[in-house]
Amino acid sequence: MKKIILIAAVSAVVAGCAVTPNSANVYNARQAQGEQTVRMGVVESIRNVTIDKGASGVGTLAGGALGGIAAGSTIGRGNGALAAGIVGALAGGVAGNQIESRMANRPGLEITVRLDNGELRAITQDADEPFRVGDRVRLLSSGGTTRVTH
């Protein structure tokens, strides 16, 4: 029974750590075949940023569950096991929160583009495509989302 709970908790941690990309190269099914407005411009500046996806709380819960089960089932008996389980749950919760936070942060770029009409636009997206100042780029916009691509 404890193995089933352990597997369920680990699965919850893995599922909770999945993050949606902010990449110019990733489209969800709803965005496929949708028309986008295209504007052309030149990269004025690039700044490295961190994209924080935020914590869902799954890491804390799963870490707490794993820590409580591991400590409570291996240390002491009776009240000792209960106390060990509580301490293990607290430590596991803190560790799970830290792991989820690290996995939710992604490197990003803030790309400032001077459009052909002279306007400036800044777009933040995943840092999965290299850009340099002076690059000729496209801004693809649809439904409040804008992407910078070559």
Side-chain angles (χ1 to χ4, degrees), residues 44-122:
E44 287 274 319
S45 67
I46 303 159
R47 188 169 73 96
N48 292 316
V49 297
T50 299
I51 299 172
D52 180 2
K53 296 287 192 164
S56 66
V58 172
T60 303
L61 291 174
L66 289 173
I69 292 168
S73 64
T74 58
I75 300 173
R77 293 206 160 133
N79 289 340
L82 178 62
I86 291 169
V87 171
L90 291 172
V94 169
N97 179 273
Q98 292 298 314
I99 291 168
E100 182 182 14
S101 293
R102 276 194 298 274
M103 292 183 75
N105 290 339
R106 304 171 70 100
L109 295 175
E110 179 187 83
I111 308 160
T112 302
V113 176
R114 181 166 304 279
L115 298 174
D116 288 349
N117 68 6
E119 293 179 5
L120 281 175
R121 295 288 186 258

Side-chain angles (χ1 to χ4, degrees), residues 27-35:
Y27 288 82
N28 65 38
R30 183 180 47 79
Q31 294 169 320
Q33 295 183 325
E35 183 176 335

Side-chain angles (χ1 to χ4, degrees), residues 5-26:
I5 294 171
L6 182 64
I7 291 169
V10 169
S11 298
V13 168
V14 172
C17 293
V19 292
T20 305
N22 292 314
S23 171
N25 300 313
V26 177

Side-chain angles (χ1 to χ4, degrees), residues 23-25 109 111 125-132 137 148-150:
S23 171
N25 300 313
L109 295 175
I111 308 160
Q125 64 188 39
D126 283 349
D128 62 346
E129 184 175 341
F131 291 95
R132 291 186 309 270
V137 294
V148 180
T149 66
H150 284 99

